[in-house]
Amino acid sequence: MEQVREFEVLVFKALNQEMAIDVEYVEMVIEKVDITPVPRARKIIEGVINLRGKIVPVISLPTLLTGVEQKDYRKIIIVKVEDVEFGLMVDEVVGVLRTNEGELETNLGKMNTYGRKSKGLIKKGNRLIVYLNLEEMLKEIIGSEVA
């Protein structure tokens, strides 16, 4: 009998929908703070914050996912992926959700609007939650330009 792997995700709201990231990457969630703009920074980098003496870049999640600038947010999720720490601007944090591979739909075809930045959709009851791929998002943040 095959085991169904269970895992936990942090669910939040951005772009008027529920999204999730692996909880293992989450360092903390903080309230909205003033972000210091960085001159000549890429469009996806909203600026930097001073987090307990560390300078942390803050990424505009809507700009990264859709290319559309959206400055309205209420929380910043601080994540650490491959030793790179950064913040993601989101509307609201819903909480931690325990799910399993049986609730994850990965074959989305043309419905996958976020490309490799999404691992699929988590189907939990009537909820559909976009499951983001932070490793791929990091590649885009540190790798190539966003239009």
Side-chain angles (χ1 to χ4, degrees):
M1 184 169 167
E2 189 174 320
Q3 287 278 347
V4 177
R5 185 181 75 90
E6 289 192 344
F7 56 98
E8 290 182 326
V9 293
L10 179 69
V11 179
F12 56 92
K13 291 183 180 176
L15 294 167
N16 297 320
Q17 59 188 354
E18 285 192 310
M19 299 184 172
I21 55 177
D22 288 307
V23 80
E24 67 195 48
Y25 295 119
V26 177
E27 298 265 301
M28 68 180 80
V29 177
I30 61 173
E31 297 292 326
K32 178 180 182 175
V33 296
D34 288 333
I35 298 174
T36 303
V38 177
R40 302 176 54 170
R42 295 179 29 213
K43 189 172 152 184
I44 60 170
I45 299 174
E46 195 64 28
V48 294
I49 59 172
N50 183 345
L51 183 66
R52 299 180 185 152
K54 290 191 305 187
I55 302 301
V56 177
V58 177
I59 307 301
S60 170
L61 186 60
T63 305
L64 178 64
L65 293 175
T66 66
V68 176
E69 286 189 53
Q70 183 180 344
K71 305 235 181 234
D72 195 24
Y73 68 99
R74 286 182 268 174
K75 303 277 186 184
I76 299 174
I77 301 173
I78 306 295
V79 297
K80 191 170 190 175
V81 182
E82 298 175 13
D83 292 331
V84 178
E85 192 173 49
F86 56 95
L88 294 171
M89 296 166 37
V90 301
D91 297 334
E92 178 184 346
V93 173
V94 177
V96 175
L97 176 72
R98 187 162 192 77
T99 187
N100 62 61
E101 291 176 337
E103 296 175 323
L104 179 62
E105 177 64 50
T106 58
N107 189 12
L108 300 177
K110 293 182 179 181
M111 290 176 32
N112 188 355
T113 54
Y114 303 123
R116 290 188 298 180
K117 290 178 267 189
S118 168
K119 292 181 179 178
L121 281 176
I122 297 171
K123 301 173 290 182
K124 196 79 170 174
N126 292 333
R127 297 165 67 188
L128 291 175
I129 303 166
V130 178
Y131 183 34
L132 296 175
N133 185 340
L134 277 177
E135 296 93 348
E136 287 297 326
M137 291 170 57
L138 177 64
K139 287 179 188 174
E140 189 155 326
I141 292 167
I142 63 174
S144 62
E145 287 283 327
V146 172

